[in-house]
């Protein structure tokens, strides 16, 4: 067999981990070495630090598989978190392809980490469904209910994704507002992303009673958004031409920012307008989504979101349990890739 490395955990006797098996699981000898180094750092420093290593989605997935194998070989109970206080995958090539593996690791083996850093990757709105699981209540085997800090700066998250993350983070913490010791505001770093008019978006969220702030959070705040107004330009969006004499108004040109057209907002009609009060077109029609311009529509939006809060949380605990069970069955299955 190949060389082996001792795998140790607090209060567990050391055991030998066969490197050949690890190579087959991870796909290469170099990745197996990375796994072993990361495992030693977890035990020695209490951190999983893989920042600025340029890891691809496939490499991230294989590395996490290797860490799961090391954890199982250590004799650690399956649902007992590793001694990790911080997880840092910043500066890699992580996208929606591998984000589910990274999030699942963070919510299970890394559930005791208070800081998770996924900044400067390739995460966009398609990854938000998984990222949202990090701002929600953790499962019962974690030592903490809620993550303290999630860093997502330098990605490609736009208004829709940022809105979801901020809302979910608020709703989870708002549940405990009447507790004797309510949780502190979550630090959610969404700076240097693709959020258009971030100040307007935050104003809209505040009008929906989402208690988020870019300033130093006070006791009643639930989400802290450091440097939220620091954003890269959003991808260009070309609006349909408004012709003179049409139902979109008689001016024919584009109104300057802050003015309102008499035409109907196409995005709002399809449920995806997030421009709120900055939108130049009417939200008075039969639209079913986005941010409304009228108080009546605002109330309807609030009721709809309120009714869905349970849906956003439903299934996370089951998903953690089911995914860990699946990994127990599959993660030790060797690959056929040559080393």
């Amino acid at each position: 067999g190949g060389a082996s490395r001792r795998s140790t955990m607090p209060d567990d006797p050391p055991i030998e981990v066969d490197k050949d098996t690890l190579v087959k699981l991870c796909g290469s000898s170099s990745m197996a070495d990375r796994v072993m180094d990361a495992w030693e750092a977890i035990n020695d420093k209490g951190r999983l630090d893989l920042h600025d290593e340029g890891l691809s989605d496939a490499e991230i997935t294989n590395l996490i598989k290797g860490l799961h194998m090391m954890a199982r070989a250590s004799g650690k109970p399956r649902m007992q978190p590793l001694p990790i206080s911080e997880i840092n995958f910043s500066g890699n090539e992580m996208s929606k392809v591998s984000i589910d593996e990274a999030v699942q690791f963070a919510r299970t083996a890394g559930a005791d980490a208070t800081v998770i850093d996924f900044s400067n990757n390739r995460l966009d709105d398609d990854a938000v469904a998984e990222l949202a699981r990090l701002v929600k209540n953790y499962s019962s085997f974690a030592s903490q209910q809620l993550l303290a800090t999630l860093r997502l700066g330098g990605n490609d998250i736009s208004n829709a994704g940022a809105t979801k993350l901020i809302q979910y983070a608020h709703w989870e913490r708002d549940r405990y507002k009447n507790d004797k010791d309510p949780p502190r505001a979550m630090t959610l770093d969404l700076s240097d992303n693709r959020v258009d008019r971030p100040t307007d978006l935050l104003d809209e969220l505040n009008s929906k009673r989402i208690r988020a702030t870019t300033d130093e959070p006070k006791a009643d705040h639930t989400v802290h958004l450091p440097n939220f107004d620091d954003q890269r330009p959003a991808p260009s969006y070309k609006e349909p031409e408004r012709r003179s004499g049409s139902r979109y108004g008689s001016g024919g040109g584009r109104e300057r920012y802050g003015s309102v057209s008499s035409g109907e907002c196409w995005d709002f009609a399809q449920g995806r307008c997030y421009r709120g009060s900055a939108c130049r077109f009417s939200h008075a029609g039969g639209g079913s989504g986005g941010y409304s311009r009228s108080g009546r529509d605002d109330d309807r939006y609030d009721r709809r979101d309120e009714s869905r809060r349970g849906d956003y949380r439903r299934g996370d605990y089951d998903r953690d349990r089911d995914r860990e069970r699946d990994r127990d069955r599959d993660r030790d299955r060797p690959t056929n890739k040559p080393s």
Side-chain angles (χ1 to χ4, degrees), residues 81-92:
L82 298 172
I84 301 175
S85 62
E86 181 176 348
I87 297 173
N88 189 345
F89 275 96
S90 64
N92 289 289

Side-chain angles (χ1 to χ4, degrees), residues 119-137:
S119 58
N120 298 314
N121 278 281
R122 294 166 46 226
L123 301 172
D124 56 18
D125 288 357
D126 289 336
V128 165
E130 287 294 330
L131 289 171
R133 302 179 64 218
L134 295 176
V135 307
K136 297 181 183 181
N137 197 334

Side-chain angles (χ1 to χ4, degrees), residues 20-281:
D20 287 345
T21 303
L22 193 59
V23 169
K24 291 178 182 178
L25 178 69
C26 297
S28 69
S29 179
S30 61
M31 182 55 65
D33 288 337
R34 276 182 170 178
V35 169
M36 289 180 171
D37 290 342
W39 180 257
E40 287 191 355
I42 286 173
N43 288 280
D44 293 343
K45 302 177 182 178
R47 301 176 69 227
L48 176 58
D49 189 354
L50 296 164
H51 76 283
D52 294 337
E53 294 202 15
L55 297 172
S56 67
D57 283 315
E59 289 172 327
I60 290 170
T61 298
N62 287 336
L63 190 146
I64 291 174
K65 287 180 179 179
L67 290 175
H68 278 301
M69 178 181 178
M70 297 291 286
R72 291 190 65 202
S74 72
K76 178 189 72 69
R78 181 170 62 90
M79 300 303 280
Q80 176 184 316
L82 298 172
I84 301 175
S85 62
E86 181 176 348
I87 297 173
N88 189 345
F89 275 96
S90 64
N92 289 289
E93 298 295 319
M94 182 190 299
S95 73
K96 64 180 180 180
V97 176
S98 62
I99 188 60
D100 60 334
E101 293 283 351
V103 168
Q104 182 65 15
F105 180 87
R107 279 186 60 98
T108 52
D112 282 349
T114 59
V115 177
I116 296 178
D117 192 343
F118 289 164
S119 58
N120 298 314
N121 278 281
R122 294 166 46 226
L123 301 172
D124 56 18
D125 288 357
D126 289 336
V128 165
E130 287 294 330
L131 289 171
R133 302 179 64 218
L134 295 176
V135 307
K136 297 181 183 181
N137 197 334
Y138 274 26
S139 49
S140 58
F141 57 82
S143 63
Q144 59 182 348
Q145 283 185 317
L146 298 163
L147 181 66
T149 301
L150 177 59
R151 297 171 181 155
L152 297 173
N155 282 289
D156 291 306
I157 298 170
S158 70
N159 291 54
T163 297
K164 290 178 181 178
L165 290 170
I166 296 168
Q167 286 178 327
Y168 298 171
H170 163 77
W171 289 334
E172 289 295 315
R173 286 148 187 80
D174 188 56
R175 298 166 58 197
Y176 304 100
K177 64 182 178 182
N178 295 322
D179 286 3
K180 183 178 179 180
D181 187 22
R184 299 181 63 181
M186 178 184 198
T187 298
L188 178 59
D189 185 358
L190 291 167
S191 63
D192 193 28
N193 274 275
R194 300 284 189 177
V195 179
D196 186 34
R197 296 190 178 99
T199 301
D200 293 339
L201 175 59
L202 183 57
D203 288 343
E204 286 288 343
L205 290 170
N206 289 157
S207 74
K208 305 292 183 184
R209 300 184 293 277
I210 304 296
R211 300 194 303 279
T213 182
T214 57
D215 300 324
E216 188 67 24
K218 298 180 180 178
D220 62 336
H221 285 122
T222 54
V223 187
H224 178 217
L225 301 167
N227 302 312
F228 187 56
D229 57 348
D230 178 14
Q231 300 290 333
R232 302 196 307 283
S236 59
Y237 170 73
K238 184 176 182 180
E239 295 181 348
E241 181 182 355
R242 268 60 176 176
R243 298 182 182 278
S244 176
S246 75
R247 63 191 179 107
Y248 298 105
S250 57
R254 294 183 60 178
E255 293 82 7
R256 64 180 178 86
Y257 176 76
S259 63
V260 178
S261 167
S262 60
E264 178 185 349
C265 174
W266 287 6
D267 286 337
F268 182 76
Q270 298 179 53
R272 58 172 186 249
C273 180
Y274 295 94
R275 291 182 289 270
S277 59
C279 185
R280 292 183 294 275
F281 303 102

Side-chain angles (χ1 to χ4, degrees), residues 291-329:
Y291 292 123
S292 159
R293 297 179 63 85
S294 70
R296 181 175 64 255
D297 286 342
D298 284 347
D299 292 340
R300 183 177 61 194
Y301 181 82
D302 283 343
R303 288 195 300 272
R304 182 173 65 251
D305 285 340
E306 183 75 27
S307 69
R308 290 179 178 173
R309 291 189 191 184
D311 292 336
Y312 298 139
R313 293 188 295 267
R314 187 175 303 139
D316 270 332
Y317 302 153
D318 292 339
R319 191 185 310 182
D320 289 338
R321 185 186 64 246
D322 292 344
R323 286 188 176 181
E324 283 304 291
R325 184 187 61 214
D326 292 342
R327 282 171 174 78
D328 279 347
R329 185 177 62 247

